[in-house]
Amino acid sequence: MTEKKNKKKSLGEISRREFLIDAGIVLGSTAAVGTAALASSCGGKTETVTSTVTKDGPSKTVTTTVTDVVEKLVPLSCTEDGQWVIDFKVNGKRFVEIVEPNETLHHLLHEKLGFKSIKTFCSRGGCGSCSVLIDGRPILSCMTFASSVHGKEIWTAEGIATEMPALIDAYVDNECMQCGYCTPGFIVTAAALLKRNSDPTTDEIREALAGNLCRCGTYPVHIPAVKEAAKALKGGR
Ligand code: FES
Ligand code: FES
C-alpha cells in the first residue's frame, strides 16, 4: 500500500484534499458517505457546478455554487483513491466531476448527470445510439473513458435541440422515429455533418450516418430530413 502511494506521488498525483486546496477550493461538505460537494473559499466568478462521488453504494450528486477563482480549467488530477477530477462542459454548462478510471462517458453523462437522450443498444461500439459530440466530432460515449473529456466541450441531443431546432423539426416532419430509441444518436451525427457541411449530398448524408443503426428501419427518411434541415439552417432557422 505504501509502495502504491509512493508510486502515485512520484507520478505527480495528489490527494483529493490537496487538489481542492491547490485549486483554491475546499472540501465543502459530505452530505452522505461517499458524497462530496465542491465549494469555494475565495472570491471571483460564481457559477453552479455539479460534483458526484461514487464509492460504496449508489452515487449521489450535489449541486453547489462555487467560485472559479482563476477562471480557468481545474487541472486534471488523480485522487489518492485513483479517481480522476475532470473539468468539462456539456451543452454549454460547466461541470467538475470525480470519475472512476474505468468509467465510461456514457455512464457519467447518462447515469450521473441525467442526459437521458444518450442511449445504448450495444455498449460495444457497434450501433451509434450513444453518440455525443466532443469538440464538434461525433464520438461513441460507450467506448470513451469519462476521464478523457477533461477540458472538452460536449454536446448531446438535448443541447442540439436548443441550438438547432430546425434539425429536430425536420426529423419530426419526416417521421424519422418509430420507437425513437436510435433517434438521438442520428440527431447528434447529423448535427456534426451539418456543422461542417451546410449542403450535404445524398451520398454524404449516407456516409455520415452509416455508423448509426435503427432496428425499426427508418433509414430512407433520414436523407430528406437532413436535406430539409440544411435548407432551413441556411435560411437562418
Ligand atoms: S451503445 Fe455505443 S455504439 Fe452501441
Ligand atoms: S426508430 Fe426504433 S430503433 Fe430507430
Side-chain angles (χ1 to χ4, degrees):
M1 185 61 185
T2 307
E3 194 181 312
K4 192 177 165 194
K5 279 191 178 176
N6 288 342
K7 189 177 170 203
K8 282 188 175 177
K9 290 287 183 187
S10 71
L11 290 171
E13 294 167 338
I14 58 175
S15 72
R16 184 182 304 151
R17 180 167 294 278
E18 286 168 333
F19 156 74
L20 293 168
I21 291 168
D22 283 353
I25 297 170
V26 298
L27 196 59
S29 66
T30 48
V33 175
T35 302
L38 299 177
S40 171
S41 60
C42 307
K45 184 182 156 200
T46 301
E47 59 184 84
T48 299
V49 170
T50 303
S51 174
T52 305
V53 175
T54 307
K55 274 198 88 178
D56 302 314
S59 65
K60 297 195 177 187
T61 302
V62 176
T63 301
T64 315
T65 299
V66 302
T67 302
D68 181 358
V69 183
V70 289
E71 295 194 17
K72 66 181 184 187
L73 275 182
V74 167
L76 178 66
S77 307
C78 187
T79 71
E80 271 187 345
D81 298 330
Q83 297 163 314
W84 288 100
V85 181
I86 57 172
D87 186 343
F88 59 103
K89 282 188 175 176
V90 185
N91 300 333
K93 183 182 171 191
R94 185 181 174 200
F95 292 87
V96 176
E97 291 292 319
I98 299 172
V99 298
E100 299 294 335
N102 62 349
E103 184 171 344
T104 65
L105 180 60
H106 177 269
H107 185 267
L108 171 64
L109 295 176
H110 186 277
E111 303 299 329
K112 284 185 176 173
L113 301 183
F115 293 98
K116 297 299 184 187
S117 73
I118 311 165
K119 303 293 191 284
T120 46
F121 267 147
C122 70
S123 296
R124 57 187 65 180
C127 73
S129 67
C130 64
S131 300
V132 297
L133 296 186
I134 300 181
D135 290 348
R137 292 180 56 221
I139 300 290
L140 302 175
S141 63
C142 75
M143 301 292 289
T144 303
F145 284 126
S147 56
S148 70
V149 301
H150 177 71
K152 309 274 187 193
E153 182 111 26
I154 298 168
W155 284 85
T156 70
E158 287 94 340
I160 290 165
T162 306
E163 292 294 307
M164 298 174 83
L167 177 58
I168 307 299
D169 290 346
Y171 262 66
V172 172
D173 293 346
N174 286 275
E175 299 181 354
C176 294
M177 297 81 76
Q178 285 195 35
C179 77
Y181 195 81
C182 68
T183 314
F186 275 96
I187 296 274
V188 162
T189 312
L193 171 66
L194 292 172
K195 278 174 189 284
R196 69 173 190 274
N197 181 349
S198 61
D199 192 16
T201 64
T202 297
D203 284 347
E204 287 169 337
I205 297 169
R206 279 207 183 104
E207 189 181 338
L209 300 181
N212 290 77
L213 301 185
C214 172
R215 61 187 169 189
C216 299
T218 60
Y219 300 109
V221 285
H222 290 273
I223 310 289
V226 175
K227 286 191 174 177
E228 195 176 301
K231 208 168 162 185
L233 288 165
K234 276 206 283 192
R237 281 182 58 209

